[in-house]
Amino acid sequence: MPNSNAKFHCNHRGGQEAGRRELVSRSLQSAQHCLEDQDFGTAYAHYLLVLNLAPELKASVKEAFQFILFKWAEELDSLARIQDLFNCYEQALELYPNDEVICNSMGEHLFRMGFRDEAAGYFHKAVKLNPDFADAKENFYRVANWLVERWHFIMLNDTKRNLTYLNAIENAVRSGCKSVLDIGTGTGILSMFAKKAGASSVYACELSKTMYELARDVVAANNMEREIKLLHLKSLDIEIPKHIPERVSLVVTETVDAGLFGEGIVESLIHAWEHLLLQPM
C-alpha cells in the first residue's frame, strides 16, 4: 500500500510538471501571435505568466520580454495610462532586478514626465550595474545637469570657504562635539571634514536622491562609507533611535541660500536642531 501511494504521488507530480510545460509552451506561442498582431499588452501578459511559471527561462526570453515591455510601455504612455506603465516596470524589475536596460528605460519615462530626481536614481543604478552602458551614462549626466545647481560647483571650488568650514568644524570637535549631523550634505564634504577632525559619530542627511547617490560615491571614494552614515531623508523626518542612535552635539549645514525666504529653511532648521541636538548641561 505505501508503494502504491508513492507511485500515485510520483505520477501526480509528473502530471503537474507536464501541465506546467504545456501551459508555458502555449503561452509562448500565444505571445508570439500577439506580437505579430502588435497586441503588445496581451503579449506582455503572456510573458509575465511564462516567467512566473518557468523562472528558469529568464535568461533565454529576456531580450524578447524587454522588447515587448518597451513597446507596451510606449503604448501606455501615449494613452496617458501612467500608473499602468509604472506597474509594468515594477513587475519587470521584480523579475529582472539587476537589468540595466530596464532601469534605464524606466528612468527615461520618469524623466519625460518631469520626475527628474527619480529618473536620476534609475540611471545611476543602470550605470552601477554596467559602467560601460553608454546610454545610461549619457542620461545620468543629462539629468544631473538639471538637478545639481551650478552654484554647487562654484562652492566646492571655493578654497577660502572650504578652509573656513574645516577650521570651524575642527574647533568644534576639539572642544568636545564628538557626534555630528550634516543637514543637506550635498557631496558629503562637511561630513568628511567632521570625520577627519576626529568626530566619533557622523550622520548626514540629503533629500535629493541624485545628491544622496553622489554623496555615497564621494564618501566611498574617500574610504569613509563605514564611518559616515548617509540618510536619504529630510532632517525633520529623522527619528531617534530609528534613523540615528543618539542626539548629536554638533549640526553642520549650508542650506541657507535664496530658498531661505521661500521655503522656511530657518524655521525648519531651528526645529531640527532642537530635536536632534544634545540639551545644554
Side-chain angles (χ1 to χ4, degrees), residues 115-179:
F115 300 107
R116 294 183 179 125
D117 207 20
E118 293 83 354
Y122 281 98
F123 294 145
H124 185 263
K125 181 177 180 181
V127 174
K128 283 286 191 181
L129 290 167
N130 182 1
D132 297 323
F133 189 6
D135 287 349
K137 287 167 66 175
E138 181 180 347
N139 284 332
F140 181 69
Y141 294 143
R142 178 165 55 120
V143 74
N145 282 331
W146 284 91
L147 294 170
V148 181
E149 295 88 345
R150 297 298 182 268
W151 61 261
H152 208 96
F153 297 107
I154 297 171
M155 178 184 71
L156 289 173
N157 286 284
D158 186 341
T159 303
K160 182 177 180 180
R161 164 210 170 269
N162 292 337
L163 286 175
T164 300
Y165 265 97
L166 176 60
N167 291 333
I169 291 170
E170 286 179 341
N171 290 336
V173 172
R174 279 198 295 265
S175 69
C177 296
K178 296 299 184 180
S179 56

Side-chain angles (χ1 to χ4, degrees), residues 48-141:
L48 281 184
L49 178 61
V50 167
L51 288 166
N52 279 286
L53 286 173
E56 68 273 12
L57 296 179
K58 282 184 179 180
S60 61
V61 304
K62 183 171 77 168
E63 189 173 334
F65 176 75
Q66 286 176 341
F67 177 79
I68 291 170
L69 168 67
F70 300 154
K71 286 293 186 181
W72 179 225
E74 288 175 7
E75 191 172 324
L76 290 172
D77 195 4
S78 69
L79 296 170
R81 292 172 55 183
I82 306 306
Q83 189 57 56
D84 289 335
L85 185 153
F86 288 154
N87 289 341
C88 286
Y89 273 98
E90 287 175 2
Q91 291 167 338
L93 287 169
E94 285 180 6
L95 293 165
Y96 296 97
N98 296 317
D99 188 285
E100 69 273 19
V101 178
I102 295 176
C103 287
N104 183 65
S105 180
M106 175 66 159
E108 289 175 338
H109 281 287
L110 287 165
F111 184 78
R112 285 197 294 271
M113 294 173 193
F115 300 107
R116 294 183 179 125
D117 207 20
E118 293 83 354
Y122 281 98
F123 294 145
H124 185 263
K125 181 177 180 181
V127 174
K128 283 286 191 181
L129 290 167
N130 182 1
D132 297 323
F133 189 6
D135 287 349
K137 287 167 66 175
E138 181 180 347
N139 284 332
F140 181 69
Y141 294 143

